[in-house]
Amino acid sequence: MTTPAVLSQKTIETIEWTSEGVVMIDQTRLPREEVFVTCRNYVEVADAIRTMIIRGAPAIGVAAAMGVAIGALQSENLEADMPAICETLAKTRPTAVNLFWAIERMKQVYASIRTQSLSQVRERLVAEALDIRAEDIAINEAIGRNGVDLIPDGKTVLTHCNAGALATAGFGTALGVIRAAVQAGKQIDVFADETRPFLQGARLTAWELQRDGIKTTLITDNMAGHFLKSGRIGCVVVGADRIAANGDVANKVGTYGVAVLAKENNIPFYVAAPISTLVLTLSSGDQIPIEERAAKEVTHVGGVHVAPEGIEVANPAFDVTPNRYVSAIITERGVARSPYNESLRALAAKS
Ligand code: MRU
């Protein structure tokens, strides 16, 4: 197995603040086309989140913060407009808590400066959104450093969905750990689940890792069990959309099955996520809302209708992996292990 010690490509710019508006790489068109979309107002930012032009929990948090900032820039009466701006952005996707976390952070900044001049308020909200973006990259790098020792040298890492640079402001959470392990000289390669129905693994993870020169093999979701049993996989690393106080993890649908199969085969199952993904007020994953997406994502493959007309379809975008399947949760503040009620609370309290 040959793995380059130095990553060959610069990290992808997932989302940027420009004088024209909020610029995002269109993730619905990757890898066929590298097209950038400019959102010129907060409604366009909300649409981009809803339609998954931008997706991945930390990335949609950054997008929401920038949405609030662009809304502030275009409002002449922010006191009147702020609730509608925040509500429009909050209604886009229900599961990834980073969205609500970022909006709340922007609201709190606004509340602390609302009596200042409109131009001062606008400037401060733009600065806060840019801070959230910059912090996210630094957080992911710290997650990467904290996870390196968990990745076995000379083995394959299995991942599900895309928790990479595209799902964050840069570097990635699960893929950040993989990138950090490669940078540390570990000889690893990656198995990427295709991640039906939206194909984040086939389209995004495969594209990102190939660009980096990290050896990657694409498999369909139903092959994961076969390879987890084969002895080839050293560990599983995935991201998270919301983590409850007891360590239950909501992530892309299919994650739960991978976690169960990993435990069955004595393979460590790691979750990499920022502390902002943790919600200590939720005692278990049963309280996490699961997004239901359009039936068309299931009935159509590559724009072709593959199912009979009129068939009932279920399309939950996420599932919850119970904490007993989670070997460790890697955060920017350290690594939490069971019992999670204690270890996660300790990390959350750490500054
Ligand atoms: O529906 P998506 O593509 O937004 O779902 C993304 C995931 O489930 C990711 O694994 C998760 O958000 C973590 S991204 C660092």
Side-chain angles (χ1 to χ4, degrees):
M1 181 191 324
T2 54
T3 306
V6 179
L7 303 180
S8 61
Q9 295 267 349
K10 119 182 185 354
T11 305
I12 307 137
E13 298 293 355
T14 307
I15 178 162
E16 281 185 290
W17 179 266
T18 74
S19 56
E20 301 297 309
V22 182
V23 177
M24 306 165 185
I25 191 161
D26 185 344
Q27 299 194 32
T28 64
R29 289 155 88 163
L30 284 171
R32 288 169 291 110
E33 294 173 292
E34 292 180 32
V35 174
F36 289 83
V37 169
T38 304
C39 300
R40 295 176 201 279
N41 54 56
Y42 78 88
V43 175
E44 287 183 6
V45 174
D47 285 343
I49 298 171
R50 188 179 305 103
T51 58
M52 292 173 69
I53 284 172
I54 190 157
R55 34 63 54 200
I60 64 178
V62 175
M66 290 188 178
V68 174
I70 203 167
L73 278 188
Q74 293 170 351
S75 166
E76 290 306 325
N77 182 353
L78 201 47
E79 194 63 18
D81 294 341
M82 190 72 173
I85 295 170
C86 292
E87 202 182 321
T88 303
L89 289 158
K91 277 195 174 147
T92 50
R93 296 195 70 193
T95 304
V97 79
N98 312 60
L99 176 79
F100 309 101
W101 169 88
I103 293 170
E104 195 48 43
R105 183 161 149 179
M106 297 297 281
K107 273 186 185 170
Q108 277 177 17
V109 168
Y110 176 63
S112 70
I113 54 164
R114 68 203 309 168
T115 55
Q116 295 179 11
S117 71
L118 186 56
S119 65
Q120 282 174 317
V121 170
R122 286 172 170 167
E123 204 177 305
R124 181 70 184 77
L125 288 175
V126 171
E128 191 69 16
L130 293 179
D131 280 355
I132 290 175
R133 180 183 183 276
E135 284 168 24
D136 187 57
I137 299 170
I139 285 169
N140 294 331
E141 288 169 349
I143 291 172
R145 283 193 296 279
N146 290 339
V148 168
D149 289 346
L150 298 175
I151 305 297
D153 203 0
K155 287 280 202 179
T156 298
V157 181
L158 178 82
T159 191
H160 188 74
C161 193
N162 172 269
L166 288 166
T168 62
F171 202 66
T173 55
L175 297 195
V177 172
I178 289 168
R179 287 195 163 97
V182 171
Q183 283 169 345
K186 291 201 172 177
Q187 297 292 305
I188 56 169
D189 71 340
V190 177
F191 267 36
D193 283 352
E194 69 169 346
T195 319
R196 274 276 289 154
F198 211 72
L199 303 179
Q200 289 94 331
R203 297 188 303 101
L204 308 176
T205 297
W207 180 76
E208 251 196 78
L209 294 178
Q210 192 179 57
R211 246 174 136 254
D212 267 2
I214 296 173
K215 186 174 182 293
T216 303
T217 304
L218 175 64
I219 60 170
T220 63
D221 300 326
N222 49 358
M223 296 173 189
H226 169 77
F227 286 109
L228 285 162
K229 188 153 68 66
S230 72
R232 174 171 178 171
I233 312 283
C235 70
V236 178
V237 190
V238 298
D241 286 84
R242 206 184 281 217
I243 302 173
N246 69 346
D248 289 352
V249 174
N251 190 48
K252 179 53 54 196
V253 71
T255 302
Y256 173 37
V258 173
V260 173
L261 287 162
K263 192 173 172 99
E264 161 74 11
N265 291 286
N266 294 315
I267 294 165
F269 177 88
Y270 300 123
V271 174
I275 287 290
S276 56
T277 307
L278 174 64
V279 184
L280 289 176
T281 51
L282 298 180
S283 58
S284 89
D286 296 344
Q287 296 157 318
I288 299 174
I290 300 294
E291 177 181 8
E292 183 72 25
R293 291 192 62 86
K296 199 173 174 202
E297 289 180 359
V298 176
T299 54
H300 288 62
V301 175
V304 177
H305 200 154
V306 295
E309 290 291 345
I311 192 77
E312 290 279 329
V313 171
N315 186 14
F318 301 95
D319 61 24
V320 174
T321 299
N323 58 16
R324 63 183 176 279
Y325 296 105
V326 180
S327 310
I329 299 176
I330 308 161
T331 78
E332 71 275 25
R333 297 193 194 160
V335 176
R337 289 189 187 267
S338 181
Y340 289 107
N341 267 313
E342 289 164 28
S343 58
L344 288 173
R345 255 171 229 285
L347 287 184
K350 208 168 145 183
S351 54

